[in-house]
Amino acid sequence: MNGMASDHNSSSQDEYLPHYLQKEDPFASKLSREADIVAGFYLTVIGILSTLGNGYVIFMSSKRKKKLRPAEIMTVNLAVCDLGISVVGKPFSIISFFSHRWVFGWMGCRWYGWAGFFFGCGSLITMTAVSLDRYLKICHLSYGTWLKRHHAFVCLAIIWAYATFWATVPFAGVGNYAPEPFGTSCTLDWWLAQASVAGQAFVLSILFFCLLFPTTVIVFSYVKIILKVKSSTKEVAHYDTRIQNSHVLEMKLTKVAMLICAGFLIAWIPYAVVSVWSAFGQPNSVPIQFSVVPTLLAKSAAMYNPIIYQVIDCKFACCRSGGLKTQRRKSSLNKSR
């Protein structure tokens, strides 16, 4: 009886065919030509803005690279990841949308999937490191006395090694990269979870180590920061001007990090939900026209960060100039007295 049951389970798993094996041409677009053209223009605009914005952030940071604080080094690394997504990945999908099919074959599909996952994972782990840095800096003040630039570079090496490991694991035979259901883009093969227990273990490992765990650390860090800031705002008001200015700078960096993380998660969570449903829900239950929207939203995440940098920098510059004017007035008044 047990043997019959196991045979039945294996046969039911063998009967399942992912969408890219159900048809002769898995790279043909399942969308209308008009929809592909709209998506192509959308990604072109996103790619140009992301490339210019992140390139500008990296260029401006390189001009003061010896003065960058550890938290700023992390944000530069985030810009590098976003620029990598825009330069390495987006041209493949833009050309395919305008061509109304994926034109780069299986090798190009796997390369595109690897690059997207590599830079996306690098972005999320970088933001996790930034949130931990902000948490320890704000909630445990003694941490800031020993954190140096070389610690930040060690952290960067760990981030890149982490992203490389998880992006390359699918090539070791435990996973794969495959075309999206709409045909003109590629991603992790979430549909392996429908086929075998090993596929389920692979997908669950990716979800935990590359999404749930980092997101939990980010949320925990910023919740603790918000609670700490509420309790310590009145205390800072009694300190001298130099300590107040240092506190303002730390809060500026914290606001940047919080907004970046929020933008990233808002862009990627819908895609993660659709991917999990594709992996563990009913096969082919996600409509193809619906699956393309979270994918396009996730691809726009790399555009938000330079905008956040500029908005926060402008507000900080205005506040700083106002504070300097007030200090100058006080100093001139003291001198006249």
Side-chain angles (χ1 to χ4, degrees):
M1 293 294 291
N2 293 334
M4 293 177 61
S6 61
D7 291 341
H8 176 73
N9 291 334
S10 62
S11 63
S12 63
Q13 290 179 349
D14 292 340
E15 289 175 359
Y16 172 74
L17 287 177
H19 63 88
Y20 53 86
L21 295 179
Q22 294 176 3
K23 297 182 179 180
E24 294 182 358
D25 188 0
F27 299 123
S29 176
K30 312 305 186 297
L31 304 174
S32 64
R33 185 171 292 276
E34 292 77 12
D36 277 335
I37 292 175
V38 171
F41 274 115
Y42 170 81
L43 289 181
T44 301
V45 173
I46 294 296
I48 292 174
L49 293 178
S50 175
T51 302
L52 294 177
N54 288 291
Y56 174 77
V57 170
I58 296 171
F59 172 74
M60 296 303 295
S61 300
S62 66
K63 296 175 66 174
R64 50 185 296 268
K65 57 185 177 181
K66 294 183 178 180
K67 298 180 180 180
L68 292 176
R69 300 157 65 91
E72 293 173 318
I73 293 174
M74 293 295 180
T75 56
V76 172
N77 188 65
L78 186 60
V80 172
C81 292
D82 292 339
L83 184 64
I85 292 176
S86 302
V87 173
V88 176
K90 282 188 173 59
F92 286 80
S93 54
I94 291 172
I95 294 172
S96 296
F97 273 115
F98 282 126
S99 301
H100 197 49
R101 63 175 287 108
W102 180 263
V103 297
F104 301 101
W106 276 104
M107 287 296 294
C109 180
R110 293 188 176 97
W111 159 252
Y112 176 85
W114 180 91
F117 186 51
F118 172 72
F119 288 114
C121 182
S123 296
L124 184 56
I125 304 304
T126 300
M127 286 185 286
T128 305
V130 170
S131 67
L132 280 175
D133 171 78
R134 296 292 86 205
Y135 164 69
L136 295 172
K137 186 76 173 180
I138 301 296
C139 301
H140 301 277
L141 299 179
S142 60
Y143 166 76
T145 61
W146 63 265
L147 180 67
K148 305 299 181 183
R149 285 167 56 91
H150 67 271
H151 294 115
F153 290 114
V154 171
C155 189
L156 291 185
I158 295 173
I159 290 170
W160 288 110
Y162 192 93
T164 301
F165 173 78
W166 285 108
T168 311
V169 160
F171 294 131
V174 296
N176 201 0
Y177 294 99
E180 299 266 17
F182 50 87
T184 48
S185 181
C186 294
T187 184
L188 277 169
D189 193 347
W190 303 103
W191 302 271
L192 286 174
Q194 298 279 356
S196 66
V197 175
Q200 293 176 2
F202 163 72
V203 171
L204 288 174
S205 299
I206 292 292
L207 288 173
F208 178 78
F209 289 103
C210 301
L211 180 63
L212 295 179
F213 177 69
T215 302
T216 302
V217 173
I218 290 171
V219 172
F220 168 80
S221 299
Y222 290 122
V223 168
K224 297 293 287 185
I225 288 172
I226 291 171
L227 295 176
K228 181 66 176 180
V229 168
K230 285 185 176 180
S231 63
S232 63
T233 302
K234 294 181 180 180
E235 298 176 5
V236 176
H238 299 292
Y239 296 152
D240 60 28
T241 304
R242 186 173 60 182
I243 295 178
Q244 289 181 5
N245 290 339
S246 177
H247 178 75
V248 170
L249 178 58
E250 293 299 337
M251 292 312 302
K252 174 224 173 182
L253 294 173
T254 303
K255 288 179 180 178
V256 170
M258 291 178 67
L259 289 174
I260 287 172
C261 292
F264 186 91
L265 294 177
I266 290 172
W268 279 95
I269 283 178
Y271 179 78
V273 171
V274 171
S275 299
V276 170
W277 185 259
S278 300
F280 299 102
Q282 292 296 324
N284 304 321
S285 59
V286 179
I288 292 177
Q289 291 76 9
F290 178 77
S291 67
V292 70
V293 176
T295 302
L296 295 178
L297 180 63
K299 293 179 186 299
S300 67
M303 180 189 66
Y304 304 148
N305 298 342
I307 298 174
I308 294 171
Y309 297 147
Q310 296 306 313
V311 171
I312 297 295
D313 278 341
C314 289
K315 291 177 65 177
F316 180 69
C318 292
C319 294
R320 185 169 54 186
S321 62
L324 288 174
K325 289 179 181 178
T326 303
Q327 292 178 15
R328 288 170 183 169
R329 289 174 184 172
K330 288 182 179 180
S331 60
S332 61
L333 182 61
N334 290 333
K335 289 180 180 178
S336 63
R337 286 178 179 175

